Amino acid sequence: MPVIHKSYHVTKNDFIHAGEASIHVKNLLKSLNYDSDLVRRVAICGYEAEMNLVMHGGDGELSVDVSQSKVVIEVTDKGPGIADVELAMQEGYSTAKDEYREMGFGAGMGLPNIKKNSDEMTISSEPGSGTHVTMVFFCKG
Amino acid sequence: MKVKELAEKFDLKVVAGHRGLDRDVKGGYSGDLLSEIMGNAGLGCVWLTVQGHQNIVAVAVLREMAAIVITGGGSPSPETIDKADSENIPLLTYKGSAFELAGRIFPEFP
């Protein structure tokens, strides 16, 4: 099976289209008959990453590479970056605005959810230069 | 139990997503923090929440939920209704609290 590559632009503060990239990725994997647990994990991580772009990242790209052995999601943004990545990875830590918290976001669970539901996760960020997150999901068997 | 049967039995008003009323309800989940819902809600569940904004629909689609119930007398925004209709996610409302509705629904899913 050749690698399928898809890329989606995610716009800051665009709550109208938020989640659509993740829904496309999920539907793609389902149409290719990927294992339901893998689809579930990709959906969770894709959504969390997408919402991070909408709320924090500034404009960014969410891309996915789908192959027989693994699914790789890469998320890159031009946002303010993360000063302390270790702190941001802690459950409950959040810098979200109050208006986002009132919507049920900003509980400090996004990055920990990605860590928990992906097989490999790498995050690199520096203040002023944006953030890059890579998530890998290995297929069973 | 189908979503439409749940709606009839528990006085839930269907406000959008009518084409999804034949979905099977396999359980329930209650909460208002979207990341917590994304991580823990079961497939095919009916989700009880006070959130009425449009982003609840994406969560329901991604978790393959049966339906969303907005509790506490709240109502969805027009954008939420449009999105639920386009994704065929039944969107219901309930005047009482999530606690009360969860207690009534719970015995249906032993």
Side-chain angles (χ1 to χ4, degrees):
Chain A
M1 173 184 156
V3 173
I4 298 171
H5 177 81
K6 298 273 182 191
S7 185
Y8 306 89
H9 183 76
V10 181
T11 307
K12 186 176 185 182
N13 290 328
D14 183 1
F15 283 90
I16 294 171
H17 298 102
E20 288 181 0
S22 305
I23 290 172
H24 282 154
V25 172
K26 174 177 179 286
N27 289 341
L28 172 69
L29 296 178
K30 280 196 87 169
S31 71
L32 295 169
N33 291 320
Y34 276 81
D35 168 68
S36 61
D37 180 63
L38 181 134
V39 176
R40 179 187 67 84
R41 294 190 293 119
V42 169
I44 292 170
C45 296
Y47 183 75
E48 295 290 6
E50 193 175 347
M51 292 316 302
N52 278 344
L53 290 188
V54 172
M55 291 187 285
H56 304 290
D59 289 359
E61 297 290 329
L62 185 153
S63 71
V64 59
D65 288 286
V66 180
S67 66
Q68 203 155 14
S69 60
K70 64 185 177 183
V71 175
V72 179
I73 295 181
E74 294 210 46
V75 182
T76 307
D77 70 52
K78 301 167 192 160
I82 302 170
D84 187 337
V85 171
E86 201 175 322
L87 185 60
M89 289 300 299
Q90 286 181 17
E91 193 155 323
Y93 178 80
S94 175
T95 57
K97 297 180 196 168
D98 285 348
E99 62 185 282
Y100 298 159
R101 291 174 195 262
E102 285 166 14
M103 294 169 74
F105 297 111
M109 297 173 74
L111 291 173
N113 256 357
I114 292 174
K115 179 88 180 162
K116 201 185 317 179
N117 287 287
S118 58
D119 293 314
E120 287 178 6
M121 173 197 185
T122 53
I123 176 167
S124 59
S125 184
E126 274 182 37
S129 64
T131 300
H132 183 92
V133 180
T134 305
M135 303 156 237
V136 183
F137 308 84
F138 293 110
C139 304
K140 285 180 186 165
Chain B
M1 181 184 279
K2 304 281 187 194
V3 175
K4 64 180 171 193
E5 293 166 336
L6 189 85
E8 285 163 12
K9 189 163 184 179
F10 296 101
D11 312 314
L12 309 175
K13 185 180 171 194
V14 182
V15 292
H18 291 76
R19 280 179 293 178
L21 289 174
D22 278 331
R23 287 168 179 257
D24 284 317
V25 184
K26 294 172 182 162
Y29 204 82
S30 179
D32 306 311
L33 291 177
L34 272 57
S35 285
E36 194 270 326
I37 303 300
M38 272 305 294
N40 298 316
L43 299 181
C45 74
V46 57
W47 173 24
L48 279 49
T49 182
V50 296
Q51 300 289 357
H53 59 80
Q54 61 199 337
N55 297 100
I56 60 175
V57 179
V59 172
V61 172
L62 286 164
R63 295 303 296 154
E64 299 182 20
M65 291 181 183
I68 304 169
V69 183
I70 299 174
T71 58
S75 51
S77 69
E79 295 84 4
T80 310
I81 289 174
D82 288 347
K83 210 145 202 174
D85 278 334
S86 68
E87 296 287 354
N88 297 330
I89 293 285
L91 193 58
L92 319 172
T93 58
Y94 182 70
K95 286 182 180 170
S97 70
F99 175 77
E100 180 192 311
L101 182 60
R104 291 178 64 205
I105 289 178
F106 187 78
E108 301 285 337
F109 302 97

